[in-house]
Amino acid sequence: MDKINGNLIFIGMMGTGKTTLGKHIAQILNRPFYDSDHEICLASGVSIPTIFAMEGEQGFRDRESNMLKKLCALENIVLSTGGGAPLREENRQCLREHGTVVYLHSCPEILLERTRYDTTRPLLQAGNPLAKLQELYGIRDRIYRETAHLVIESEHYQKTVNRLLNVLQAG
């Protein structure tokens, strides 16, 4: 599994399995794993919903950009980003320059099933979470595809793991 040079970076909508898959793949590759959202919480000492409440989305996105720069400067890591990380051009450029970017893709209906009871996702605390997911997907899918080196469907966990490992081995 030494065919991936540099970092392996997962992007995609909330609920696609970036963190779960990232941890698993990091174990297989024997690399350190980082979740940018988790690292933001550790650095700030508060939760993401608290950051959103105190600083708004813009404040959170500023923190996110700073954290991505720090994490991308590391070598041979597996990184899971927050769903909105690729929205900023500077983040897209940073991610692409520092590793292989994998877009984990799922449709909004599947994402709703995975996230429907999760109260820690500020963007889903809306009256109609499916409509919000569809809106976010409509904005983000193209950006994710343009940022990614690889697109992997993430409907079923084990199939996703197997597809990714096959692609990495062929790399």
Side-chain angles (χ1 to χ4, degrees):
M1 295 297 320
D2 57 359
K3 299 197 181 207
I4 289 293
N5 292 319
N7 299 324
L8 182 59
I9 302 165
F10 292 102
I11 64 171
M13 294 280 291
M14 61 188 92
T16 57
K18 299 180 300 286
T19 298
T20 303
L21 183 67
K23 287 178 182 176
H24 188 139
I25 296 298
Q27 248 183 344
I28 292 169
L29 297 176
N30 195 29
R31 292 185 180 194
F33 172 77
Y34 294 90
D35 177 294
S36 62
D37 284 350
H38 179 73
E39 296 300 317
I40 291 166
C41 292
L42 286 177
S44 66
V46 297
S47 69
I48 290 173
T50 301
I51 296 170
F52 265 74
M54 295 175 68
E55 300 177 9
E57 185 172 358
Q58 183 69 36
F60 173 76
R61 297 295 172 207
D62 291 343
R63 288 176 180 267
E64 183 175 57
S65 293
N66 290 332
M67 184 56 69
L68 288 174
K69 288 175 192 164
K70 290 177 187 174
L71 293 171
C72 284
L74 301 174
E75 295 182 1
N76 293 314
I77 66 166
V78 176
L79 173 62
S80 167
T81 67
L87 296 178
R88 287 186 173 179
E89 174 61 35
E90 68 180 295
N91 294 348
R92 293 192 295 273
Q93 185 175 342
C94 181
L95 296 173
R96 285 190 60 84
E97 288 176 359
H98 289 91
T100 300
V101 181
V102 179
Y103 170 24
L104 295 180
H105 175 266
S106 287
C107 68
E109 293 75 16
I110 290 173
L111 298 175
L112 179 63
E113 287 300 313
R114 293 179 184 168
T115 61
R116 70 175 351 153
Y117 301 112
D118 189 342
T119 60
T120 65
R121 300 178 189 270
L123 294 178
L124 287 186
Q125 304 311 306
N128 185 342
L130 178 58
K132 186 63 176 178
L133 284 168
Q134 290 168 330
E135 174 192 342
L136 293 171
Y137 180 88
I139 295 166
R140 295 178 179 185
D141 182 62
R142 177 188 56 79
I143 294 169
Y144 293 151
R145 289 179 187 278
E146 290 171 359
T147 305
H149 296 99
L150 303 167
V151 178
I152 302 284
E153 296 299 321
S154 68
E155 315 83 40
H156 304 288
Y157 184 75
Q158 195 54 51
K159 286 182 183 178
T160 303
V161 170
N162 292 339
R163 276 188 209 128
L164 183 57
L165 291 175
N166 287 336
V167 169
L168 294 178
Q169 287 172 337

